[in-house]
Amino acid sequence: MNYKNFILMVMFIFIVFLAINVSSVYAWWNSSWQYCREIEIDSNKVDADLTNFTLFINVSYDSGMQNDFNDLRFLTGGCHNAEEELNYEIEHKVDGEYALVWVKVPTISSTENTTIGMYYGNPSATNNENPEAVWSDFETVYHLTDLQDSTNNNHDGTAYGTITQVDGKIYKGQNIGGNEDWVQHPLKEYSNGLQYFTYSFWFSPDITIDSSDGIGVYRMLYTTDDDGGKDRIEVLFNCNDNDVDDECKKQNGKLSVSVDYNGMWHQTTSQTSQWVAGEWYYLTWVHKREGSTMYEYLYINGVLEATSSYAYDGTNDIEAWDTTYNIGGREGDFSDFDGTFDEWRFSTKLFSSSWIKADYYSQIGELVIIGEKTTYGENFPPKISIFSPESITYFTTNIFANFSITDENKTIFHVKAYLNDNLIYDNKSYVNNTLILLNLSDYINDTSTYTFKVWANDTELTTEESVNFIIDLYDLSTNFLNYKTFNFLNYANNLTFYY
């Protein structure tokens, strides 16, 4: 067998293999659920692919839903390509009005919108929430409607002083009075410290904090170890000067995440220096040890504001972990935060900047788009899947088109294919989900941009999909300018293969 035939055979086998593994048919998840809406996750707000992302969705009541939202189900793949049922938690709901839902999504793309399906319309369905699975990557999650932990660690908080439920960012939050008031949070004992940890929470100050304010340090987080304060970590607003008792005399308005590691303080300080009373801010603090260096990252509203690094002693990670830590202040200290918290989370995992940015947009309601209502059994337009050509540059004329069309209601329908508006395939008796392979080489003869388009009509509805690709022909072996003479298969004859 010569190289040309061999390569043609390999290309054919690869295309067929790709189509078999990628092709999908319409698949309504369960006929007991009569309705579905597709929820698209905006890839423009996702800088890199994400895994195991906790997505926030504000679900409005729709006709056909159970009044108490017990029939909600979420699946990967959308309404007509349903694949994996997803874990979810309803943080709060008002029957017949809305439900605030957290859904754990296994993968989210940064290059194209990710679609999940929200099914409903089953009057006999029972509640299927699984909060512990939704928050399995976290040590503690407080929605702060109350002080109950949504993880399986049972880290329920305890209020000290004046702690009041008020309106929060997502639903309800907890207001800290600022005068020896705090929430005590139980912890596991991390006897060897932690290589990674991530804190995140919403906060809204009761008074504007900036350089004109001279009242208190405003601690929002405080914890220490259990051997006399060797290590500490804090989140607090900075002071320009302190008196002999470490009482803050003058604020500079900036916020710091602070680590007392082996007796030395390391502060990572925000660029923002004014925090307006009544406004909401989302703080995320990421700590990691990598090699011989410790790193701190401070994000405000999903944007990295500050970083710092310092030496790892080679023996111990940060050991600022007693059996508890305090949210909002510390015992015997009148420099506690005066304001409201919501959605407080603690994890021993490392979250990326892309995760943190998407998390912020998710919680402010700008990451998802909820689509139109679809009904089980109604007709949908044919779905076209083009596996090749791809939207790339080819250095050969030997291009194959490979596609299939699926239709939920029809088995026979009309399909056409075009290359640059030239009809190259016309089948009025196309069989549902048949794989079509077309050799485009007879229609390609020069360097240019080409458009391959597939059209389908099931007698009621029409759809079409197209792919643009580039052919760039030049002679790699002799003359780069003599592009018309180059052919990939001829070039392949001169290749030497090493084993």
Side-chain angles (χ1 to χ4, degrees):
M1 179 184 296
N2 62 37
Y3 277 120
K4 179 176 181 179
N5 292 335
F6 173 75
I7 293 176
L8 282 171
M9 181 181 70
V10 169
M11 291 174 66
F12 175 80
I13 293 173
F14 174 76
I15 291 170
V16 172
F17 175 81
L18 177 67
I20 291 173
N21 284 274
V22 176
S23 180
S24 61
V25 298
Y26 280 112
W28 189 271
W29 169 60
N30 189 318
S31 60
S32 295
W33 274 258
Q34 291 298 300
Y35 308 109
C36 181
R37 288 180 183 267
E38 290 197 336
I39 298 173
E40 288 203 0
I41 302 170
D42 186 359
S43 62
N44 292 318
K45 296 182 174 66
V46 181
D47 293 339
D49 293 353
L50 305 175
T51 58
N52 296 324
F53 184 79
T54 46
L55 179 70
F56 175 70
I57 307 171
N58 188 337
V59 178
S60 297
Y61 177 79
D62 188 21
S63 61
M65 280 184 186
Q66 286 191 29
N67 194 57
D68 57 7
F69 299 93
N70 279 349
D71 56 343
L72 288 183
R73 299 293 187 270
F74 300 88
L75 285 97
T76 60
C79 292
H80 301 285
N81 297 285
E83 297 167 346
E84 177 186 353
E85 189 171 355
L86 302 177
N87 292 305
Y88 70 97
E89 178 195 28
I90 297 178
E91 175 181 338
H92 175 74
K93 63 183 178 180
V94 175
D95 287 354
E97 293 187 21
Y98 67 89
L100 306 178
V101 186
W102 298 93
V103 181
K104 190 168 187 177
V105 183
T107 57
I108 294 178
S109 173
S110 58
T111 58
E112 60 182 1
N113 288 358
T114 299
T115 302
I116 63 174
M118 180 178 72
Y119 283 80
Y120 56 97
N122 182 350
S124 61
T126 57
N127 187 290
N128 199 39
E129 294 178 68
N130 190 352
E132 294 179 357
V134 173
W135 303 108
S136 60
D137 289 330
F138 293 82
E139 297 293 299
T140 307
V141 173
Y142 294 149
H143 296 306
L144 291 179
T145 301
D146 50 32
L147 300 179
Q148 301 300 303
D149 179 17
S150 284
T151 76
N152 64 358
N153 296 310
N154 298 316
H155 289 161
D156 298 341
T158 303
Y160 289 85
T162 304
I163 309 296
T164 308
Q165 185 193 80
V166 297
D167 289 339
K169 177 63 178 178
I170 302 298
Y171 173 54
K172 294 295 183 182
Q174 298 293 325
N175 184 267
I176 308 292
N179 185 8
E180 287 201 277
D181 308 308
W182 70 90
V183 172
Q184 191 175 82
H185 169 290
L187 279 176
K188 296 177 182 177
E189 184 175 352
Y190 306 104
S191 57
N192 296 319
L194 291 172
Q195 182 177 357
Y196 310 116
F197 65 77
T198 302
Y199 284 102
S200 63
F201 55 87
W202 288 96
F203 69 92
S204 176
D206 284 348
I207 59 173
T208 296
I209 302 172
D210 57 25
S211 60
S212 66
D213 181 26
I215 307 173
V217 177
Y218 306 131
R219 283 186 178 86
M220 295 195 288
L221 166 68
Y222 175 83
T223 185
T224 186
D225 65 357
D226 56 4
D227 61 357
K230 177 183 175 183
D231 290 349
R232 286 186 291 171
I233 65 170
E234 297 185 336
V235 177
L236 71 165
F237 291 93
N238 291 353
C239 290
N240 280 339
D241 58 355
N242 296 339
D243 67 6
V244 293
D245 297 321
D246 285 338
E247 180 182 351
C248 181
K249 293 297 186 184
K250 174 95 174 149
Q251 276 284 338
N252 68 12
K254 294 187 176 182
L255 182 153
S256 287
V257 295
S258 303
V259 177
D260 182 2
Y261 179 60
N262 289 343
M264 183 172 294
W265 275 105
H266 305 277
Q267 288 193 320
T268 309
T269 302
S270 70
Q271 299 176 35
T272 302
S273 59
Q274 184 182 63
W275 313 84
V276 179
E279 294 292 323
W280 283 99
Y281 304 91
Y282 191 52
L283 181 147
T284 305
W285 174 12
V286 176
H287 164 85
K288 75 171 181 178
R289 178 197 24 100
E290 192 172 87
S292 60
T293 306
M294 303 279 209
Y295 296 91
E296 312 298 337
Y297 302 88
L298 172 60
Y299 296 81
I300 301 296
N301 294 343
V303 177
L304 182 64
E305 285 222 356
T307 63
S308 67
S309 62
Y310 49 97
Y312 170 56
D313 67 8
T315 304
N316 298 310
D317 286 301
I318 295 173
E319 296 181 351
W321 315 104
D322 200 342
T323 56
T324 63
Y325 70 72
N326 293 344
I327 299 171
R330 69 179 185 183
E331 185 177 1
D333 193 333
F334 290 89
S335 57
D336 304 331
F337 178 69
D338 186 4
T340 302
F341 293 109
D342 198 1
E343 293 301 323
W344 189 288
R345 304 176 190 168
F346 170 59
S347 176
T348 57
K349 295 185 180 295
L350 183 66
F351 291 97
S352 68
S353 59
S354 177
W355 206 102
I356 292 164
K357 175 182 174 180
D359 183 37
Y360 169 73
Y361 279 110
S362 174
Q363 295 192 51
I364 65 172
E366 295 184 10
L367 189 61
V368 300
I369 302 170
I370 300 179
E372 296 296 320
K373 180 178 183 178
T374 59
T375 304
Y376 174 68
E378 71 178 82
N379 191 22
F380 295 92
K383 179 183 177 181
I384 298 170
S385 299
I386 300 176
F387 308 113
S388 66
E390 300 177 76
S391 297
I392 60 175
T393 298
Y394 293 91
F395 301 102
T396 176
T397 61
N398 293 289
I399 307 299
F400 287 92
N402 183 242
F403 62 91
S404 67
I405 302 96
T406 56
D407 191 273
E408 188 167 343
N409 301 97
K410 303 296 176 66
T411 57
I412 304 293
F413 43 93
H414 192 181
V415 173
K416 300 178 184 180
Y418 299 84
L419 187 66
N420 285 357
D421 295 325
N422 296 313
L423 181 64
I424 62 174
Y425 177 82
D426 189 356
N427 186 353
K428 296 181 180 179
S429 301
Y430 175 87
V431 178
N432 192 14
N433 202 31
T434 299
L435 185 66
I436 302 299
L437 183 68
L438 303 176
N439 190 339
L440 303 182
S441 60
D442 292 339
Y443 309 98
I444 297 173
N445 54 23
D446 206 347
T447 292
S448 184
T449 298
Y450 293 84
T451 299
F452 177 73
K453 181 174 70 174
V454 178
W455 172 97
N457 176 272
D458 65 2
T459 71
E460 295 180 8
L461 298 172
T462 299
T463 188
E464 62 181 45
E465 295 288 341
S466 61
V467 174
N468 295 321
F469 62 97
I470 296 172
I471 298 296
D472 193 358
L473 305 178
Y474 54 90
D475 191 340
L476 290 178
S477 59
T478 56
N479 184 352
F480 280 87
L481 298 178
N482 188 16
Y483 59 86
K484 292 185 180 181
T485 64
F486 175 71
N487 181 286
F488 175 82
L489 296 175
N490 293 332
Y491 178 68
N493 290 327
N494 298 316
L495 291 178
T496 300
F497 294 92
Y498 295 90
Y499 300 91

